[in-house]
Amino acid sequence: MTFAPASPSPIRVLVVDDHAMVRDGIVALLSRQNDMEPVGEASDGAEALARLQELSPDVTLMDVQMPGVGGVEAIAEIRRIAPDARILVLTTYPGDANAVRAMRAGAAGYLLKNGIRGELIDAIRSVYAGRRAVSADIAHQLATHALDETLTDRETAILRLVADGHANKQIAWKLNLSNDTIKAQLKTIFEKLGVHDRTHAVTIAARRGYIDPYK
């Protein structure tokens, strides 16, 4: 399956979001553009994959947090079966860690929904043309933390349990680790995030997109 651009034709866009009202708003916006055509919608990653194979859109707009198959998983699978697919993340979830995960999976851009109108239209055109498109706030965060050490999967798992209110002994039991290991891991986490306590660590990790404090 290929996604070669055809200049005379409008940019065919697939809209993936689990909220019908959001999809309706995006479709209405795209329909007002002379060079764009919304060709389909999907409410989760699995449906997005099926619709993409059926429609072969030029650009896919992908939310990150969705029930079932999430956006990052869907992006990786789409790029596996269609390496030329152009995917633009459109989400309410900020944070450099979120953006890095999505772009490592194969997204060509990362936008926040609070800048949806002009920025979105320009981003679709950029991604269609083979360029990257990243929200200014996200680009700033990526530049700020470019040289930082990232959290490992284990460190992220520990922070999620900290955010849920678990004490070190409970975290050790849940992860089948020793209490001393948890203490050492938390010290490393604090150093990586530039904080001195558990509460601040959770706050910064949520802000950067390592954890979702609402899950």
Side-chain angles (χ1 to χ4, degrees), residues 9-214:
S9 304
I11 303 170
R12 303 173 68 255
V13 183
L14 172 64
V15 181
V16 184
D17 196 289
D18 60 329
H19 293 98
M21 290 183 64
V22 173
R23 296 197 306 271
D24 290 346
I26 295 171
V27 166
L29 177 64
L30 299 179
S31 299
R32 293 197 292 270
Q33 311 306 312
N34 293 329
D35 60 342
M36 294 181 191
E37 177 189 3
V39 294
E41 301 176 32
S43 60
D44 59 36
E47 188 180 359
L49 184 60
R51 297 292 281 160
L52 183 133
Q53 292 175 295
E54 173 192 349
L55 299 169
S56 296
D58 298 312
V59 176
T60 297
L61 295 181
M62 181 76 70
D63 194 8
V64 173
Q65 296 287 348
M66 296 180 290
V69 179
V72 174
E73 296 170 86
I75 291 167
E77 181 61 16
I78 288 170
R79 288 300 300 269
R80 185 185 68 80
I81 66 170
D84 295 331
R86 298 179 177 119
I87 305 167
L88 175 61
V89 170
L90 182 63
T91 181
T92 56
Y93 289 83
D96 60 294
N98 274 332
V100 167
R101 278 195 295 268
M103 295 176 80
R104 281 180 177 166
Y110 197 97
L111 297 186
L112 300 178
K113 289 178 181 176
N114 60 11
I116 193 172
R117 293 187 178 275
E119 186 179 20
L120 174 59
I121 296 304
D122 289 342
I124 291 172
R125 291 174 181 141
S126 292
V127 168
Y128 178 68
R131 299 188 295 271
R132 289 194 177 274
V134 179
S135 289
D137 287 347
I138 297 298
H140 175 73
Q141 291 182 50
L142 289 170
T144 299
H145 299 291
L147 300 180
D148 291 358
E149 274 194 272
T150 58
L151 298 184
T152 66
D153 290 341
R154 176 184 285 181
E155 289 164 350
T156 302
I158 289 171
L159 265 182
R160 287 196 186 101
L161 291 171
V162 171
D164 288 339
H166 294 293
N168 287 1
K169 288 183 179 179
Q170 293 173 306
I171 296 172
W173 180 80
K174 285 179 174 291
L175 298 181
N176 197 27
L177 299 169
S178 71
N179 196 43
D180 286 342
T181 297
I182 298 302
K183 288 180 180 178
Q185 293 270 275
L186 282 171
K187 182 180 178 182
T188 301
I189 291 169
F190 292 174
E191 290 173 352
K192 287 184 177 182
L193 296 179
V195 301
H196 302 287
D197 59 69
R198 295 159 66 98
T199 301
H200 200 192
V202 169
T203 300
I204 296 300
R207 185 181 302 157
R208 292 187 56 188
Y210 281 111
I211 62 173
D212 179 0
Y214 303 106

